[in-house]
Amino acid sequence: MDSNSSKPAGVRPAGAGLGNNRDSTRQHNLSTVLGLVHSSAGLSRAQLTRTTGLNRSTIAALVGELVQLGLVVESDLDQSQQHGRPSIMINPGPSVLALAVNPDVDAVGVALVALGGNIVNPVRFHTVRAPSMPEVVNIVSAVYAGMAAALPAHFRVVGIGVAVPGLVDPADGTVIEAPQLGWREQPLAAQLAKALQLPVACANDAVVGARAQAAFGAGREVADFVYLFGGASGIGGGIVSGGKLMHGATGFAGQLGHMLVRTDGAACSCGSSGCLEAEVTREELLRAVQLPVDRAEDLEQSVLGLFASGEASAQLREVLSRQARLLAVGLRGVVHQVNPSLIVLGGFLRILAEAMPDIVEGAVSLGAARGAREQVRIELAPLGESLILVGAAELAFAPLLADPAGVLRAASADREN
Ligand SMILES: [Zn+2]
């Protein structure tokens, strides 16, 4: 987000101050360089020098310290440079990891993620019903024990990031409510931290998806975008406005699944009715193509395959067209309220945009007042769980990215005690 602007604000030359001031400048510059390497998944020294405005010897010293910390690696010369001297490439190191967790109604996703958003070994642990909070803690503990045992000795895991399909208290990572999981007031962050002895950060899954989009995805170069994700647990969203993720007064902005889209609509888990997520559901699409929940990964292929071969039933067409129209109602509201330049649709919402493009794209190009609808484009988020896992890892990496040397020193001290 902020760190993706071409020239980060507030970069100070190393050595500009004395004592603590010099330390904080160095920490700030280390953080800036690591952030750039992380979100670009690799940069040349020349690009770092240009982007930060720091001089070449300062960049060399900062990169040297990050190499020593195991956070970045220097590799072959950048061959893409046509002119001038070739420059050494700086890539995210593979040995510093975050554990990403995504509990869902039918599975718990767990993966180690390296800097640069590289997913190392994703595991989707299927459950016969929605897992309870203690079950999630047990599953993650068991899966992590296996992963950790297979890691080389010098690899380290700096923390756990959890994407939760529900409302999360940003202050302490308590899950206030996750209706589809049947959770209320579950101290997930505290219990995971106790079980795995690692720092834990939790956030709503759609907010996590928006963070991943902003750091690595379609939203990377965009200051104003809206991310909408549809999954087994409903529809969530995240709004990035002016380069910043909107939090709201208590951290719950972006509950786009609860936009009213039909006045006499179906009852919603929030207690209201006619909400987007009550009207536009993955369950109804699964039923329309007669797929069981445990084959939900095949839903998109299945629906689009039936369309391509002209075998889509009248019922399927009716469901898709109705859901697409109701999604369009929601999108039209978003366009006018937020004035984004980009809307990213993820999860099963992709299917509605692909099968009914006229309806979904029409929402942002027709019937809307001229100003806001101009230049809004719709893009599809990549398939699968990877975006959510990368975003969850971002939560865990945040302290490291802010103070690379400090966090690793503290982690090493903990390990020696
Ligand atoms: Zn609702």
Side-chain angles (χ1 to χ4, degrees), residues 257-259 267-278:
H258 298 289
M259 287 185 291
C268 181
S269 59
C270 72
S272 187
S273 65
C275 297
L276 179 65
E277 75 168 38

Side-chain angles (χ1 to χ4, degrees), residues 3 66 91 139 154 183 189 247 298 318 336 340 346 414-415:
S3 62
L66 293 171
N91 294 305
I139 290 167
H154 68 286
W183 297 10
H247 288 283
D298 302 334
E318 187 278 321
H336 285 296
D414 276 356
R415 280 206 301 190

Side-chain angles (χ1 to χ4, degrees), residues 154-186:
H154 68 286
F155 277 45
R156 45 195 153 175
V157 178
V158 293
I160 304 172
V162 191
V164 181
L167 281 182
V168 179
D169 188 333
D172 63 1
T174 294
V175 179
I176 296 167
E177 191 170 30
Q180 314 285 339
L181 297 177
W183 297 10
R184 282 185 84 92
E185 296 296 334
Q186 296 293 309

